[in-house]
Amino acid sequence: MEQSNQKVARIGMVKYLNTAPIHEKWITSVQRDDWQLVEEAPSVLCKKLDEGTIDLGFVSSIEYGKHPEKYKILSGLSISANGPVASVVLLSHVPLNQLDGADLLLTSQSETSVQLVKIILEEFHKVTPKYHTGDILEAGKDKFKAILAIGDDALRLVESATYLYQFDLGDIWKRQTGLPFVYAVCAVREDFCESHPEMLADIHRELLRCRDEGVADLEAICEISAARIPLSKKKCRDYLLAIQYDLSPQKCKALEAFFQFLIKRKTIQEKALPLKMFANLS
């Protein structure tokens, strides 16, 4: 009876290549009956965190921005890049300045990347396409002038796509703002923070350990993960070297800048700032 009443922490993680350093270390080194790993697409994890069917996890940055009253951000953890990222890509038949009024297919897997491409097109380049949402892998090549692809889908499409232009959104954001971009944060529900602070601190420490060990062991991570895409081990390593997993003050500044655009565009409310952090590692 005592075991059945034990709190089980439900931890969300995306099984994309970009999370592999943390994900692979977690599944091979963390053995806790009271910690359950939940693997889903980013959009599904956002919904589960919002509904309370997971307690914490790596979710699209905008999920925190939409519901800041529900969450805190675990310090030191992100999925981010300081420039090109290769897995958040706008594939297009025409240059960006010719996309005004054009049909553009958006991935349904990550709202953060959707909002980023809208900022890049509408704020930076002053064009507004006709947006559609759907399965980018099933998209007809002639139906859409451009498609937004993320994660492993983007890596596959970049390898085989016939689109003339490939725009890396992280690269464009960096050139426009001078800042890195934070694609995902590790958010935790406020109610879990309050009811299980010691368990949360233990989970936080293990995630940081997995982050550090995974980054230090990219060769082994690529041996395991490259074939899933598929990519060569060299391309896998080059890709993972561009992904960053910390949440430095500069990354927090970048996240704030993204949220300021979203507040200006009335996509999220002003209460998304300042950021609320969980950093109880004592």
Side-chain angles (χ1 to χ4, degrees):
M1 288 295 294
E2 188 175 339
Q3 179 69 23
S4 64
N5 292 330
Q6 183 182 34
K7 170 62 182 177
V8 174
R10 301 156 299 177
I11 304 161
M13 202 176 297
V14 177
K15 196 177 178 180
Y16 282 170
L17 181 58
N18 60 12
T19 65
I22 296 174
H23 178 267
E24 295 297 337
K25 288 296 176 182
W26 182 277
I27 63 176
T28 56
S29 66
V30 176
Q31 305 293 329
R32 288 279 297 257
D33 292 338
D34 55 342
W35 296 357
Q36 176 190 357
L37 190 65
V38 179
E39 298 174 328
E40 293 287 359
S43 58
V44 177
L45 289 181
C46 289
K47 187 172 186 291
K48 285 181 174 291
L49 192 64
D50 181 28
E51 294 173 345
T53 54
I54 61 172
D55 302 299
L56 70 150
F58 286 91
V59 293
S60 293
S61 297
I62 196 173
E63 176 62 22
Y64 173 85
K66 288 165 63 178
H67 304 291
E69 72 285 353
K70 290 186 177 183
Y71 309 133
K72 286 185 178 176
I73 296 171
L74 290 192
S75 65
L77 293 163
S78 76
I79 307 296
S80 54
N82 191 21
V85 68
S87 58
V88 183
V89 180
L90 185 69
L91 302 172
S92 179
H93 292 301
V94 297
L96 293 180
N97 61 9
Q98 294 181 25
L99 286 173
D100 196 42
D103 290 305
L104 191 160
L105 181 64
L106 302 169
T107 177
S108 59
Q109 294 188 17
S110 171
E111 192 177 349
T112 292
S113 298
V114 166
Q115 295 302 328
L116 176 58
V117 80
K118 288 182 178 181
I119 289 169
I120 286 171
L121 293 173
E122 297 175 26
E123 303 288 338
F124 299 164
H125 291 275
K126 308 303 180 186
V127 297
T128 305
K130 295 175 184 174
Y131 298 113
H132 308 266
T133 302
D135 186 343
I136 60 169
L137 295 180
E138 299 298 323
K141 292 183 173 59
D142 299 322
K143 185 175 179 182
F144 300 99
K145 283 289 185 185
I147 61 172
L148 170 65
I150 71 157
D152 294 356
D153 287 349
L155 294 173
R156 294 183 184 105
L157 285 170
V158 165
E159 287 288 299
S160 61
T162 57
Y163 288 85
L164 185 59
Y165 298 92
Q166 299 178 359
F167 300 104
D168 187 301
L169 301 193
D171 182 46
I172 296 173
W173 170 267
K174 171 71 174 182
R175 286 189 278 110
Q176 288 285 337
T177 67
L179 294 167
F181 192 81
V182 179
Y183 296 93
V185 296
C186 193
V188 55
R189 288 182 59 88
E190 282 272 17
D191 51 12
F192 189 77
C193 289
E194 293 169 7
S195 59
H196 297 87
E198 291 182 3
M199 179 184 281
L200 178 58
D202 288 344
I203 294 169
H204 193 186
R205 288 189 194 94
E206 284 297 280
L207 285 169
L208 291 170
R209 178 189 63 79
C210 290
R211 177 200 69 182
D212 293 343
E213 291 183 6
V215 168
D217 201 17
L218 283 188
E219 293 295 337
I221 298 297
C222 289
E223 285 281 352
I224 298 167
S225 304
R228 276 206 332 259
I229 304 302
L231 287 176
S232 69
K233 282 183 285 187
K234 181 183 184 306
K235 284 189 176 181
C236 179
R237 187 174 185 277
D238 290 345
Y239 168 66
L240 288 177
L241 283 172
I243 306 294
Q244 299 174 352
Y245 302 95
D246 67 301
L247 191 57
S248 65
Q250 183 77 344
K251 300 278 177 65
C252 290
K253 182 179 177 182
L255 189 57
E256 290 165 356
F258 178 52
F259 284 176
Q260 285 163 356
F261 273 111
L262 297 179
I263 290 167
K264 173 190 168 187
R265 292 166 59 82
K266 303 189 184 306
T267 305
I268 63 175
Q269 298 180 26
E270 292 183 5
K271 64 183 180 180
L273 297 174
L275 303 175
K276 296 185 302 175
M277 311 296 291
F278 177 90
N280 183 18
L281 294 173
S282 59

